Amino acid sequence: MVSTTSGMIEVRWHGRGGQGAKSASAILAEVLFEGGRHVQAFPEYGAERQGAPIRAYNRISSRPIRRRCGVQNPDVVVVTDPTLSVSANPSEGCREDAIYIVNTPEDASSLRARLGLSDSATVLAVDATGITLEELGQNRPHAPLLGALSHVFSDVSAEDFADHFTRKMKSLPPEALEANRRAIMRGREEAVTV
Amino acid sequence: MAFAEAMRQINPDVVAAYPITPSTEIPMKFAEYVADGLVDTEYITVESEHSAITACVGASVAGARVMTASSANGVGLMHEIFPIAAAFRAPIVFGLVNRSLGAPVNIHCDHSDSMPERDSGWIQIYCEDAQEVYDTALMSVRLAEHPDVLTPVFVCQDGFITSHCYEPVDFLDDEAVTEFVGSREPRYPLLDVDNPVSYGSFVMSEHYFEIKRNQMEGMENALRVCREVSGELARITGRDYPPVERYRTDDAEYVIVIMSSAAGVVKDVADDLRSRGVRAGCLRVRMFRPFPSEEISEALSGVKCAAVLDRSASPGGTPPLAAEVRSALYTSCCAGNRMPSPVQSFIYGLGGRDLYPGDVESVFEGLSRGEHFLAPRYIGLREGTGGEERGGR
């Protein structure tokens, strides 16, 4: 959907403290870095309360990245908690043709209508919470969201995310790593685009 | 993390540290290296920042290679000991992760912690990104311990913005670092019992002034030695770090002078304006102590108008970087060079407020319109009495 071979792609994550949005943005940066891109990943650090709304950012470019301010006009928005698609104002400052990856059990078309996006925007809806409750028995939505992001960054595959996750989290028991791998692959397969 | 990795490769003799956000990750990571046996360092845990720097000074005058790190009010608590370290010519290398001084309590970046130390006799280097932090840590060991310098160094980086960003950094091999930094050859170590010396003596007005004069000589030599050491590292890495970075300033009409991480967005905006025919440039001051006055006045000699952006204030006075730049231009003018162009002072980013491309564009637009105000201006500040704007941004 987007190519990182030219220009700079800016990503904004809307998550909740403790769910792993910071780690997911770091994994996205690391996977794209391994694919030869220049990358940044940084959260907005604040009072780090469990469940409080947080933002994190990525920049991805074929050239060295110099600016370090927060992302104001993202190309890609990731909403990691269904409730944030209402309260976090995910479309704030976005480009008209921005891509939204939203963790939601909601029908993608009705979500899109509710967000009030322009015709040129793209919405990928995936029930990441549902997938991880089935695969891991916990609400850890970032694995399926990374899988869905492999649709967006077409120069990396869902397997790249799964392999990286497995290497990075190697202290987890093998069954947990396998469950996360399945969650990443299901995120890619079950994402609905409208 | 880049600074901690440099510390692992430098393998200092002694580290004494007390954690404070956002520098905490440096002693935390280094403590892991000590626990894992990756370094030979004597790691001294202490009960406060004051004790940390005091232990560093003791170890340094004993002849050890010493490193530490701190931020914000931790730096403030160390204040009493900094001039002592400098006067002892103790070549400590210090990772200073810039954070605002309370109150109110705020964990984010500005330069209000390092600026009060600008007269403490320490070299101050402000880094733009993690790569520069790593490279500067390596160079600073050589710079601090150079016999013509023998002066401690603050390696400053912007808290969270630089210290906590995930970004690529190119590390040297351990062997290359070992070879580059060499080993310390202390001039007058306290532990050399065959040649006994005394530190911390009582000195009255007969000699105090001369000792201070010697210390200033060491600081003044630091500019030359910094260029030499940087050139040597550049031969290994290809990355050179002059005291001042001139980004598209050679034919520039409008220049923003700035330090640390926010230089990146200024360079981006300068490129953008250049593509629209505006001759914009960025002058990034890397070394603040000693201050490279001649290079700065030379770089600004042809501009129509310059803006100096400070990430700290000097309430009741001129912000630190603006004061230095104006002083440099005045000195240059007295030396017979042309009258300097107007220099507008701005304060930005206190307590971690971002500097956005739009903010930088506004500054350049003001310069190109010839706007000039005698007092410092504020960037990205919500003015007014509150009320109507409260809670917004």
Side-chain angles (χ1 to χ4, degrees):
Chain A
M1 279 184 189
V2 297
S3 166
T4 52
T5 52
S6 66
M8 183 160 64
I9 306 296
E10 296 185 302
V11 183
R12 186 170 70 207
W13 297 71
H14 296 276
R16 289 197 179 276
Q19 283 183 339
K22 177 189 155 193
S23 301
S25 70
I27 290 173
L28 176 64
E30 287 164 2
V31 169
L32 291 163
F33 170 70
E34 286 167 4
R37 305 290 171 238
H38 291 276
V39 294
Q40 278 180 351
F42 58 101
E44 267 181 7
Y45 285 90
E48 288 164 14
R49 311 180 306 280
Q50 289 272 332
I54 61 134
R55 291 178 175 203
Y57 305 106
N58 286 113
R59 290 192 175 94
I60 301 104
S61 175
S62 57
R63 299 195 305 166
I65 301 164
R66 297 186 298 204
R67 67 183 58 190
R68 315 179 84 84
C69 46
V71 170
Q72 290 176 300
N73 311 115
D75 305 276
V76 178
V77 175
V78 187
V79 181
T80 69
D81 189 283
T83 59
L84 291 171
S85 67
V86 181
S87 62
N89 192 14
S91 60
E92 178 193 341
C94 286
R95 295 163 52 98
E96 292 246 305
D97 60 351
I99 301 166
Y100 296 82
I101 295 107
V102 184
N103 170 19
T104 179
E106 194 178 349
D107 172 70
S109 302
S110 64
L111 171 72
R112 183 193 175 96
R114 201 157 50 75
L115 291 175
L117 305 176
S118 85
D119 291 345
S120 55
T122 306
V123 175
L124 274 81
V126 58
D127 184 10
T129 295
I131 290 171
T132 53
L133 283 174
E134 286 175 25
E135 297 293 346
L136 312 171
Q138 295 175 16
N139 177 17
R140 297 200 169 274
H142 293 97
L145 289 169
L146 287 170
L149 273 164
S150 70
H151 287 291
V152 176
F153 294 97
S154 45
D155 41 1
V156 289
S157 66
E159 285 79 8
D160 292 334
F161 284 108
D163 291 347
H164 184 87
F165 187 91
T166 303
R167 281 200 305 279
K168 192 178 169 81
M169 303 293 177
K170 58 178 182 288
S171 58
L172 291 177
E175 52 274 22
L177 292 174
E178 268 315 303
N180 273 292
R181 177 177 287 274
R182 288 196 302 275
I184 290 171
M185 303 314 283
R186 281 187 62 185
R188 177 174 173 88
E189 287 153 21
E190 296 176 24
V192 176
T193 308
V194 286
Chain B
M1 284 309 163
F3 192 85
E5 178 65 5
M7 285 173 76
R8 182 188 67 73
Q9 294 182 310
I10 292 165
N11 193 8
D13 300 310
V14 173
V15 168
Y18 190 83
I20 179 169
T21 300
S23 64
T24 302
E25 274 71 7
I26 294 171
M28 188 178 83
K29 196 75 198 166
F30 193 76
E32 282 177 25
Y33 298 149
V34 174
D36 293 345
L38 301 178
V39 288
D40 310 310
T41 307
E42 180 74 33
Y43 188 87
I44 308 173
T45 53
V46 287
E47 74 283 11
S48 77
E49 286 88 353
H50 192 280
S51 302
I53 191 66
T54 304
C56 287
V57 170
S60 185
V61 298
R65 178 172 278 168
V66 182
M67 299 181 79
T68 188
S70 193
S71 295
N73 295 56
V75 172
L77 186 56
M78 293 174 168
H79 174 79
E80 183 198 5
I81 306 300
F82 287 144
I84 298 172
F88 283 179
R89 314 300 292 273
I92 299 162
V93 175
F94 190 118
L96 199 159
V97 185
N98 281 117
R99 164 184 161 182
S100 61
L101 278 183
V105 179
N106 172 303
I107 56 169
H108 286 287
C109 174
D110 64 38
H111 300 161
S112 61
D113 51 357
S114 55
M115 280 302 161
E117 308 310 331
R118 65 188 185 273
D119 298 333
S120 67
W122 286 53
I123 293 165
Q124 291 199 347
I125 301 172
Y126 289 81
C127 301
E128 181 176 339
D129 57 23
Q131 182 70 62
E132 189 178 339
V133 170
Y134 171 77
D135 291 336
T136 303
L138 306 185
M139 290 188 287
S140 294
V141 172
R142 294 276 305 277
L143 174 62
E145 294 176 6
H146 193 284
D148 295 347
V149 177
L150 279 180
T151 299
V153 181
F154 289 124
V155 179
C156 302
Q157 59 175 309
D158 281 350
F160 289 108
I161 302 166
T162 309
S163 65
H164 284 61
C165 182
Y166 286 76
E167 62 178 330
V169 176
D170 195 0
F171 295 121
L172 294 175
D173 296 338
D174 288 0
E175 297 74 32
V177 172
T178 304
E179 192 181 335
F180 180 77
V181 298
S183 55
R184 184 179 171 202
E185 289 166 21
R187 295 293 290 273
Y188 306 106
L190 200 56
L191 294 184
D192 182 0
V193 290
D194 296 328
N195 299 288
V197 292
S198 177
Y199 283 88
S201 311
F202 181 73
V203 174
M204 292 291 278
S205 40
E206 291 93 330
H207 296 293
Y208 181 92
F209 210 158
E210 285 69 29
I211 290 167
K212 286 289 137 184
R213 176 69 185 86
N214 283 341
Q215 198 186 319
M216 290 173 205
E217 191 77 19
M219 178 65 90
E220 281 158 22
N221 290 337
L223 271 178
R224 168 179 60 79
V225 174
C226 177
R227 287 192 198 95
E228 290 168 8
V229 173
S230 176
E232 211 177 302
L233 187 72
R235 282 195 286 282
I236 305 171
T237 64
R239 296 184 293 272
D240 195 13
Y241 296 99
V244 177
E245 183 197 358
R246 301 178 186 202
Y247 185 78
R248 308 191 82 163
T249 58
D250 283 355
D251 64 340
E253 293 183 320
Y254 309 106
V255 168
I256 288 180
V257 186
I258 195 163
M259 302 198 297
S260 297
S261 68
V265 71
V266 177
K267 293 175 191 171
D268 277 356
V269 172
D271 282 356
D272 193 29
L273 290 173
R274 288 257 172 187
S275 71
R276 291 187 258 149
V278 180
R279 299 223 298 258
C282 174
L283 188 65
R284 182 171 72 90
V285 179
R286 188 175 123 74
M287 204 160 202
F288 188 77
R289 282 291 181 273
F291 195 73
S293 297
E294 286 179 24
E295 293 188 20
I296 285 169
S297 54
E298 203 258 307
L300 294 177
S301 63
V303 305
K304 279 189 180 167
C305 198
V308 180
L309 272 57
D310 270 274
R311 201 163 200 153
S312 61
S314 177
T318 306
L321 183 59
E324 295 289 349
V325 169
R326 284 179 176 155
S327 170
L329 292 173
Y330 177 79
T331 307
S332 165
C333 180
C334 292
N337 294 317
R338 51 170 276 184
M339 273 292 286
S341 313
V343 174
Q344 177 64 51
S345 166
F346 290 90
I347 294 171
Y348 77 100
L350 299 192
R353 186 156 296 175
D354 260 332
L355 184 71
Y356 291 109
D359 298 324
V360 178
E361 267 191 62
S362 299
V363 171
F364 275 121
E365 277 166 20
L367 293 181
S368 64
R369 281 199 302 270
E371 281 178 11
H372 192 255
F373 306 90
L374 294 179
R377 311 283 286 175
Y378 303 105
I379 299 174
L381 179 75
R382 291 195 301 276
E383 298 274 21
T385 52
E388 74 283 0
E389 290 193 54
R390 191 171 296 148
R393 194 197 128 95

